[in-house]
């Protein structure tokens, strides 16, 4: 979701990333993934060739307590980002929770940059 906003003789690019709150145990992880999704929107829009990758790992633990076997399964997600200067220069506009989602909004002044799109 990319929006271009003209305001007070300036042009801004705005992007939002959304995650489902219940998918994350840590607030810091939730915020980081939402930010990466907002950046990915910009990357897709301007096709700068940045790389965003995600790996999922299934982890298992076995143990014994009080003579009973214990087996626990959980997963871990590792996300990494390699971004261009334009994307990494985006600033946070707002973060907030809405219903079951967490929303992270970033922006950047782009008036000078727009001339390269034409």
């Amino acid at each position: 979701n990319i929006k271009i906003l003209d305001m007070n003789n300036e042009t801004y690019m705005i992007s939002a990333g959304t995650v489902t709150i219940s998918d994350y145990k840590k607030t810091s992880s939730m915020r980081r993934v939402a930010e990466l999704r907002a950046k990915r929107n910009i990357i897709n829009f301007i096709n700068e060739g940045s790389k965003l990758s995600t790996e999922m790992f299934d982890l298992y633990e076995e143990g014994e307590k009080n003579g009973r076997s214990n087996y626990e399964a959980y997963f871990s997600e590792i996300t990494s980002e390699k971004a261009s200067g334009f994307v990494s220069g985006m600033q946070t506009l707002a973060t907030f929770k809405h219903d079951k989602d967490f929303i992270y909004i970033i922006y950047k002044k782009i008036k000078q940059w727009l001339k390269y799109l034409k």
Side-chain angles (χ1 to χ4, degrees), residues 20-68:
T20 303
I21 295 168
S22 62
D23 290 346
Y24 298 89
K25 291 182 180 179
K26 294 183 179 180
T27 302
S28 60
S29 298
M30 178 181 65
R31 292 176 57 86
R32 180 70 179 139
V33 172
E35 179 185 11
L36 288 172
R37 288 182 179 175
K39 287 182 178 182
R40 183 174 48 200
N41 291 338
I42 299 289
I43 291 165
N44 290 338
F45 179 77
I46 59 178
N47 195 19
E48 288 199 356
S50 295
K51 186 174 182 178
L52 181 64
S53 63
T54 301
E55 294 182 67
M56 297 285 284
F57 296 95
D58 292 321
L59 306 168
Y60 304 95
E61 270 186 29
E62 288 186 61
E64 189 175 312
K65 187 174 183 181
N66 297 331
R68 301 184 97 188

Side-chain angles (χ1 to χ4, degrees), residues 45-109:
F45 179 77
I46 59 178
N47 195 19
E48 288 199 356
S50 295
K51 186 174 182 178
L52 181 64
S53 63
T54 301
E55 294 182 67
M56 297 285 284
F57 296 95
D58 292 321
L59 306 168
Y60 304 95
E61 270 186 29
E62 288 186 61
E64 189 175 312
K65 187 174 183 181
N66 297 331
R68 301 184 97 188
S69 293
N70 187 14
Y71 182 77
E72 194 171 327
Y74 55 96
F75 74 94
S76 179
E77 179 178 10
I78 298 175
T79 303
S80 62
E81 170 196 24
K82 292 181 182 178
S84 71
F86 182 86
V87 176
S88 60
M90 303 289 290
Q91 296 180 35
T92 302
L93 177 63
T95 62
F96 57 94
K97 294 177 182 178
H98 177 69
D99 292 332
K100 297 178 180 182
D101 295 326
F102 178 79
I103 300 159
Y104 197 106
I105 302 174
I106 57 177
Y107 78 99
K108 185 171 186 175
K109 192 185 303 186

